[in-house]
Amino acid sequence: TGLTASQRVVTVQKGPLYRVRGSHVTLWCKVSGHQGPAEQNFQWSIYLPSAPEREVQIVSTVDPSFPYAIYTQRVRSRGIFVERLQGDAVLLHITELQDRDAGQYECHTPNTDERYFGSYSAKTNLKVIPDTLSASMAPQALSRVEGDAVELTCEVSKSTAQHTHLSVGWYLLQGAGEHRAKEILTLSKDFILKPGPSYEQRFLEGDVQLNKVGNTTYKLIIRGVKPSDQGQLYCEAAEWIEDPDKTWKDISCNQTERTQLAVLSQGRDLSVDIAAAEPSLSEGDTLQLRCVVGAPKSSNFKVIWLLNDKEVARVDPHGVLIWEEEYEERAKLGQLRAFKPSNTVYVLSISEVGLKDKGTYQCSVSEMKTPGDLHSIQTVLSSGIQVDVTPVGYRVRLSVSTSTPRVTAGDPLVLHCEVQGATGPVSLRWWHLPPQHPGHGVLVATMEQDGTLSLGSAYQDGRARGSLRLQKESSGTFTLVVPSTLDEGDGGQYRCEATHWARGRNWTGKGEAAVTVSSMAGLGLHATLRSRIATVSYGQSFELFCRVDASYALEEVPLSVRWLFQPSPPTGPSHELVQVFPNGTVLWGTAQPHSQGKAQLAKTDTTFRLHIHSALPANEGTYKCEVEVWRRNILPLGQPAASTSSNAVAIKVVLPESKLQVATTDSSVEIASGNAAIECRIVFAQNYSQFAVSWYLLPPLADATPLQIVRANYSGILEYGSEFSSPAQKSRFLSHRVSSNIFQLQILSANPGDQGRYYCVVEEWLWLVDGWYKLREGTSGRTTLKFKLSGEQLQMDKSNHSISAREGEEATLPCRLQGALLPGSHLSATWFQVTSSGRDSALLALQHDGTVEYPEERLAARLYLRRPSAGDFSLTLSSVERGDAGAYYCQLQEWQQQGEGKDWAVQALACSGYTQLTTIPPESTVLSRICSSPPLLNFILYLPLVLILLLALALFCWYCKFRK
């Protein structure tokens, strides 16, 4: 299968397996290739035929709370259990197979590896079929003389629909205390006769045979019987079926009743043996005793039956039966019978035995010469056999249990009282012993012998705890259900008192079960989210399991679950997919409208399941579940008593594989004039895909960023890049789909400024139910666009210039042709501003026919070509702005007409040197005006000196006047 040693592989017994109802069944499971501890854990679940997609948890090696309610009792009583064979292998045991156990079993191993890799579960089918095997043999008592032959027949039949084989064997039981039977001879499932060790030699000699007579009859023949053959003989049949792994399994076994064989030695004196079918009885049972006489030469016997050495009845040689007086009345009622099935076998049968019938039974046999003789030839008394009769009620056993030992207030209580061995009607009483007053019992409910039910006074108001139910589930099991517990006071001991009525007497037994009722405080609520697969392919389904655990039983507690989804990559807060309320109401969120039709919701006990059908890329992201719990006996629900949020589980959706291939070979296109076409070719792609094509230009600078020209999406809508978004550029650069696999970038009226390296990026898009999805993209090779010029290089002034201009004023940028033109030639001129993107921005274009175009329309009103002379193409920029600062240059092209009435073509071109324009802020202060006016500036500079001279002159005049 391509698995490596590091992959985890879980293997389970191959199915389907057919097993018989009521049998003990085992299923094996093992794991290999795992990391982590050597001892791995196993969890068994079943998918029932009635709900094949619903997981029902059975048993776990690590989690006692793993079983669902329908399996809890069987797991606790070890009716279902897991046997660990070794660290990585286990056996699932089902001790008594039921019809409801049929289904698909899954063995799951929780992950202990560093990452998910391999398989973590495996499944097998188990089918339950009826037990149709039957084996029967009439019970009898046989006496044979040593050396005689004995023949026994056994009827074996089956009606199983499946192909099965039978094995039939004969066995011998000897001694009252020995429980291991000796194998005599067996016809195996493979139709091979196999003798037991004690009979191997006699089988080889032909003295022990097993013959099939007809379709259903099997005959055992033992010739030359020996004393070692004496005992109880029976037939055992087994039914076998071949499993898918080619091994045979016995699915049913049936034993017949037993035949008593007595072997007498040649010439032996009279012998007497006594045996009881069942020596331990209860009052009302039937006792049957057999007295076997070993005297092959005589048939005249007088037999006396004794109980504790007192005569019960006698049978004379004529077969006349005489009862002792105290037994006559019971014999008339048919309770006592004594008869002679053969000359050497006598039977005493007592029905409805009582305590007075227990004791030691014997039979006395007297051999008479003739039937009328009064004196016997010999009399032999058998050994005694002890018969025990147990009083009514003594064997009755009572056990009390609960399937709800720990509950939370508001949860129900379920208590079971099982009465075993009762032969008469039973009455029942349930008592509650509160934890506060354990010695004071409160009557809960009573059920009389006739089934009449009455409730205790504290339980008659159904509004408090609901309507109590006490019902008889089976012949001896009574179940009490308290639908809703009130508080911790409903905890404590619950006592069952059962009274058994029989034969005019009664017997009462008692048993108790403890129950703990907790409040909703300290819930220990926890939610775990898991998925069996983390990566799914488009269209594949996946499931998420939100399991809720708490320190109390959750099965009947009102729960709601909210499923949350965070797309990948995240787009904000998590989206609410859906919420399921305790009453079953489902509210779908609006963020993922497609989920309602694709999602399936289910709840099994305390596990919520979200099944997403046909996964889409929109389903990729992170999932969580939030669970809220309410008190069961509070309506309306109001605020939740507790809530919890699970761990996050990431699901990745893999899109269909793309086969896109784009031609990557570099090429070149060379033109003299006119239009240019750049080709983009798809080498291979799937037929049902659509394509988006983006065209790029690589500027001359080595580290320059590619410039997006135009993008045509899968619908054919064009989106231009920022450098090509002007109307003039949009009208010249167009993207077309020429054929199913060829796209073209058309450059109309191409000029030398369009030279460079072009390439395309093709995106493959696919429509997937709810939208378009990008599968892959491919980049083409580079196509270099060149111009082929036939003329000589134009002569221009290529010197660089630097000028300054004040904002708001105008600036003139020089561009002059040097040298003469060819006759009939026209010139075109284009002015460019150098940009950081690598592709210079065209500002103004003077065509060879004299028309002027303004690629940058925002500058059209401020650009002028004043042309003081024929070769002067200087550009004047009026109202200079701060953003105008930068480097400028012009490009001149020489055009000639190719002939009368033909197109014009570029013959030569040249570019000027760069002109660096520096802008100066505008004059906005008085000081700047002063500084810009020399006379005023000189006046201000000499003003302080003039003031000083005037002040000195004034002081001198004042001094002269003071002297006078």
Side-chain angles (χ1 to χ4, degrees):
T1 59
L3 300 176
T4 64
S6 60
Q7 281 185 290
R8 174 184 289 257
V9 178
V10 176
T11 310
V12 73
Q13 191 168 346
K14 189 177 180 181
L17 302 172
Y18 293 90
R19 296 296 184 263
V20 166
R21 180 194 310 122
S23 62
H24 186 137
V25 174
T26 60
L27 299 174
W28 60 259
C29 179
K30 58 185 178 181
V31 60
S32 61
H34 60 83
Q35 300 176 4
E39 183 171 292
Q40 294 287 296
N41 286 311
F42 294 80
Q43 295 175 338
W44 286 91
S45 302
I46 186 173
Y47 295 84
L48 300 174
S50 58
E53 295 186 356
R54 175 187 174 191
E55 179 187 14
V56 181
Q57 298 174 179
I58 300 176
V59 66
S60 169
T61 60
V62 64
D63 186 0
S65 65
F66 183 80
Y68 283 176
I70 62 173
Y71 287 102
T72 301
Q73 187 61 32
R74 294 174 70 186
V75 171
R76 287 178 179 169
S77 64
R78 288 188 65 80
I80 298 177
F81 64 94
V82 177
E83 175 190 1
R84 186 177 291 280
L85 302 178
Q86 54 191 46
D88 56 2
V90 296
L91 271 182
L92 172 66
H93 287 260
I94 303 176
T95 59
E96 187 175 350
L97 191 64
Q98 303 175 11
D99 287 330
R100 62 176 179 171
D101 295 329
Q104 186 178 50
Y105 284 74
E106 179 180 45
C107 175
H108 176 71
T109 60
N111 184 31
T112 58
D113 309 331
E114 295 180 355
R115 61 191 181 100
Y116 282 90
F117 189 43
S119 66
Y120 291 81
S121 64
K123 295 180 179 179
T124 189
N125 278 307
L126 175 65
K127 297 182 182 295
V128 180
I129 58 177
D131 187 358
T132 64
L133 180 64
S134 171
S136 62
M137 179 181 68
Q140 53 185 322
L142 302 176
S143 294
R144 295 290 186 271
V145 176
E146 186 176 358
D148 288 351
V150 63
E151 293 184 3
L152 298 174
T153 58
C154 177
E155 295 290 332
V156 179
S157 64
K158 67 179 179 69
S159 58
T160 308
Q162 289 69 34
H163 175 71
T164 58
H165 287 187
L166 289 176
S167 64
V168 179
W170 293 87
Y171 296 86
L172 171 65
L173 269 175
Q174 294 176 316
E178 186 177 345
H179 299 289
R180 174 167 295 196
K182 293 181 180 180
E183 182 183 6
I184 300 174
L185 186 58
T186 298
L187 178 63
S188 73
K189 66 180 186 303
D190 304 316
F191 314 109
I192 298 174
L193 287 172
K194 297 180 179 179
S198 303
Y199 289 85
E200 186 172 354
Q201 185 61 37
R202 296 169 69 184
F203 169 75
L204 295 175
E205 294 172 354
D207 290 337
V208 178
Q209 298 178 2
L210 194 161
N211 299 323
K212 185 177 181 183
V213 183
N215 292 329
T216 61
T217 304
Y218 296 80
K219 179 182 287 188
L220 174 70
I221 302 174
I222 303 177
R223 296 187 179 90
V225 294
K226 300 178 179 181
S228 60
D229 298 326
Q230 182 168 285
Q232 299 180 69
L233 289 86
Y234 65 91
C235 168
E236 180 177 283
E239 187 173 8
W240 299 75
I241 193 168
E242 186 178 20
D243 285 343
D245 62 0
K246 303 303 179 183
T247 62
W248 286 86
K249 170 64 179 174
D250 55 326
I251 59 174
S252 180
C253 184
N254 205 331
Q255 289 184 7
T256 66
E257 294 188 75
R258 298 167 184 174
T259 289
Q260 182 73 39
L261 174 63
V263 179
L264 306 176
S265 300
Q266 294 282 359
R268 177 181 169 180
D269 291 338
L270 183 69
S271 65
V272 179
D273 289 322
I274 189 171
E278 178 55 61
S280 297
L281 305 170
S282 297
E283 281 186 284
D285 290 346
T286 297
L287 170 65
Q288 189 173 77
L289 297 166
R290 287 175 176 268
C291 184
V292 180
V293 181
K297 296 181 180 180
S298 176
S299 60
N300 301 317
F301 300 110
K302 179 180 69 176
V303 177
I304 301 175
W305 289 99
L306 303 170
L307 170 58
N308 297 327
D309 297 326
K310 293 182 179 181
E311 185 173 332
V312 176
R314 66 175 57 205
V315 181
D316 67 14
H318 295 287
V320 178
L321 172 64
I322 302 172
W323 294 100
E324 282 297 303
E325 183 178 354
E326 63 180 294
Y327 294 98
E328 286 182 352
E329 185 63 28
R330 295 175 65 188
K332 291 178 181 179
L333 296 174
Q335 296 179 1
L336 274 67
R337 295 173 58 228
F339 56 93
K340 177 182 176 182
S342 70
N343 288 334
T344 58
V345 178
Y346 295 79
V347 176
L348 173 65
S349 176
I350 305 176
S351 60
E352 297 186 25
V353 296
L355 296 178
K356 60 179 176 292
D357 295 320
K358 70 177 181 178
T360 302
Y361 285 82
Q362 293 174 289
C363 65
S364 172
V365 179
S366 300
E367 183 181 2
M368 316 298 289
K369 186 173 184 180
T370 62
D373 284 352
L374 297 177
H375 301 285
S376 62
I377 300 175
Q378 58 177 327
T379 299
V380 176
L381 181 65
S382 72
S383 59
I385 184 169
Q386 181 67 35
V387 174
D388 293 324
V389 179
T390 304
V392 173
Y394 183 81
R395 285 179 175 246
V396 175
R397 296 185 301 277
L398 183 145
S399 61
V400 181
S401 62
T402 176
S403 54
T404 54
R406 300 183 63 86
V407 298
T408 304
D411 292 344
L413 286 182
V414 180
L415 298 141
H416 308 282
C417 185
E418 185 175 4
V419 182
Q420 296 177 332
T423 58
V426 175
S427 63
L428 210 71
R429 285 174 177 257
W430 278 100
W431 298 86
H432 177 216
L433 308 177
Q436 312 93 302
H437 308 287
H440 176 67
V442 179
L443 180 63
V444 180
T446 300
M447 179 178 283
E448 302 298 339
Q449 301 176 47
D450 59 0
T452 304
L453 176 65
S454 60
L455 301 179
S457 58
Y459 292 84
Q460 293 178 357
D461 184 3
R463 294 172 298 177
R465 296 180 178 86
S467 299
L468 268 70
R469 301 193 305 276
L470 176 55
Q471 54 196 18
K472 191 173 183 180
E473 300 288 348
S474 61
S475 60
T477 301
F478 301 81
T479 300
L480 172 67
V481 179
V482 181
S484 179
T485 52
L486 288 180
D487 49 33
E488 294 93 330
D490 281 348
Q493 297 286 334
Y494 282 81
R495 176 186 298 162
C496 172
E497 293 183 357
T499 302
H500 175 220
W501 304 81
R503 305 179 67 83
R505 298 195 301 275
N506 64 75
W507 169 87
T508 299
K510 301 177 182 179
E512 296 181 359
V515 172
T516 301
V517 180
S518 304
S519 67
M520 294 291 282
L523 300 176
L525 189 66
H526 179 69
T528 304
L529 185 64
R530 66 182 179 91
S531 173
R532 291 179 179 160
I533 52 176
T535 301
V536 297
S537 301
Y538 162 74
Q540 184 183 357
S541 299
F542 65 92
E543 288 182 325
L544 295 164
F545 299 89
C546 179
R547 177 175 174 179
V548 187
D549 297 299
S551 57
Y552 59 94
L554 287 167
E555 284 76 5
E556 299 297 330
V557 174
L559 295 173
S560 74
V561 62
R562 180 184 292 108
W563 291 95
L564 303 177
F565 172 66
Q566 176 65 269
S568 178
T571 58
S574 295
H575 303 163
E576 182 175 314
L577 291 180
V578 63
Q579 185 174 9
V580 183
F581 293 93
N583 61 359
T585 302
V586 177
L587 180 62
W588 293 92
T590 58
Q592 296 283 329
H594 63 278
S595 297
Q596 184 170 356
K598 293 169 57 60
Q600 178 183 351
L601 301 168
K603 178 179 180 290
T604 305
D605 295 327
T606 59
T607 298
F608 296 90
R609 180 170 66 94
L610 175 64
H611 184 100
I612 303 293
H613 296 277
S614 301
L616 296 173
N619 299 126
E620 180 174 322
T622 302
Y623 292 80
K624 294 177 69 176
C625 65
E626 291 182 353
V627 179
E628 295 176 327
V629 180
W630 282 266
R631 299 178 191 273
R632 188 177 186 276
N633 58 349
I634 296 180
L635 292 173
L637 292 176
Q639 294 296 318
S643 63
T644 185
S645 181
S646 75
N647 56 295
V649 171
I651 298 294
K652 180 175 178 58
V653 179
V654 180
L655 292 173
E657 183 180 0
S658 172
K659 306 292 185 180
L660 177 67
Q661 295 180 29
V662 180
T664 57
T665 305
D666 292 342
S667 61
S668 63
V669 174
E670 189 174 33
I671 63 172
S673 61
N675 302 332
I678 310 298
E679 185 177 282
C680 177
R681 184 166 59 89
I682 298 174
V683 176
F684 183 82
Q686 301 177 92
N687 294 332
Y688 47 79
S689 298
Q690 295 293 330
F691 304 99
V693 178
S694 299
W695 292 95
Y696 291 89
L697 170 63
L698 284 171
L701 298 178
D703 58 349
T705 303
L707 303 177
Q708 181 177 331
I709 303 170
V710 63
R711 180 179 186 271
N713 66 12
Y714 50 78
S715 299
I717 299 174
L718 301 180
E719 301 171 7
Y720 283 86
S722 58
E723 299 292 332
F724 294 84
S725 59
S726 66
Q729 297 284 56
K730 289 181 178 180
S731 65
R732 293 181 57 238
F733 290 87
L734 302 174
S735 178
H736 291 289
R737 186 168 186 172
V738 178
S739 65
S740 61
N741 66 327
I742 296 178
F743 294 83
Q744 275 189 355
L745 175 67
Q746 294 184 349
I747 307 174
L748 305 181
S749 301
N751 60 67
D754 298 324
Q755 295 182 110
R757 291 182 298 160
Y758 293 81
Y759 68 93
C760 70
V761 175
V762 179
E763 303 167 8
E764 182 178 12
W765 290 76
L766 186 65
W767 174 262
L768 300 177
V769 180
D770 63 336
W772 288 95
Y773 290 92
K774 180 179 173 181
L775 300 185
R776 188 179 179 183
E777 67 177 35
T779 302
S780 72
R782 275 47 173 171
T783 299
T784 303
L785 176 61
K786 301 177 182 179
F787 266 77
K788 182 179 181 182
L789 303 178
S790 58
E792 297 181 357
Q793 186 75 16
L794 291 177
Q795 299 298 316
M796 290 187 66
D797 180 8
K798 293 186 176 291
S799 58
N800 297 329
H801 302 274
S802 179
I803 62 173
S804 299
R806 193 174 305 281
E807 294 178 21
E809 297 179 357
E810 67 177 28
T812 299
L813 310 175
C815 178
R816 298 180 180 86
L817 176 66
Q818 297 176 345
L821 295 175
L822 295 173
S825 295
H826 288 188
L827 288 176
S828 66
T830 305
W831 272 97
F832 296 91
Q833 182 179 16
V834 178
T835 64
S836 59
S837 67
R839 177 174 173 83
D840 299 338
S841 176
L843 305 177
L844 178 147
L846 173 64
Q847 305 298 337
H848 63 83
D849 59 1
T851 59
V852 179
E853 295 178 357
Y854 297 93
E856 295 286 346
E857 292 183 352
R858 60 184 178 82
L859 300 177
R862 298 197 292 123
L863 300 176
Y864 303 97
L865 278 178
R866 295 181 175 171
R867 302 199 62 187
S869 62
D872 192 343
F873 293 90
S874 299
L875 177 66
T876 299
L877 177 61
S878 64
S879 301
V880 172
E881 300 174 357
R882 178 179 301 178
D884 296 334
Y888 297 79
Y889 69 94
C890 72
Q891 183 187 76
L892 299 182
Q893 299 176 1
E894 182 182 4
W895 295 74
Q896 282 192 339
Q897 194 171 17
Q898 302 302 302
E900 186 68 27
K902 294 185 178 181
D903 292 336
W904 290 78
V906 177
Q907 301 299 310
L909 61 82
C911 292
S912 70
Y914 292 97
T915 299
Q916 183 68 37
L917 173 62
T918 303
T919 60
I920 301 173
E923 298 173 346
S924 57
T925 62
V926 174
L927 181 59
S928 64
R929 290 191 176 93
I930 293 174
C931 294
S932 62
S933 175
L936 183 58
L937 179 60
N938 291 336
F939 171 76
I940 292 174
L941 292 175
Y942 288 103
L943 181 59
L945 181 58
V946 173
L947 291 176
I948 293 173
L949 292 175
L950 290 176
L951 180 58
L953 181 60
L955 289 174
F956 178 75
C957 292
W958 177 81
Y959 176 76
C960 291
K961 186 178 179 181
F962 178 77
R963 290 288 304 267
K964 291 179 179 182

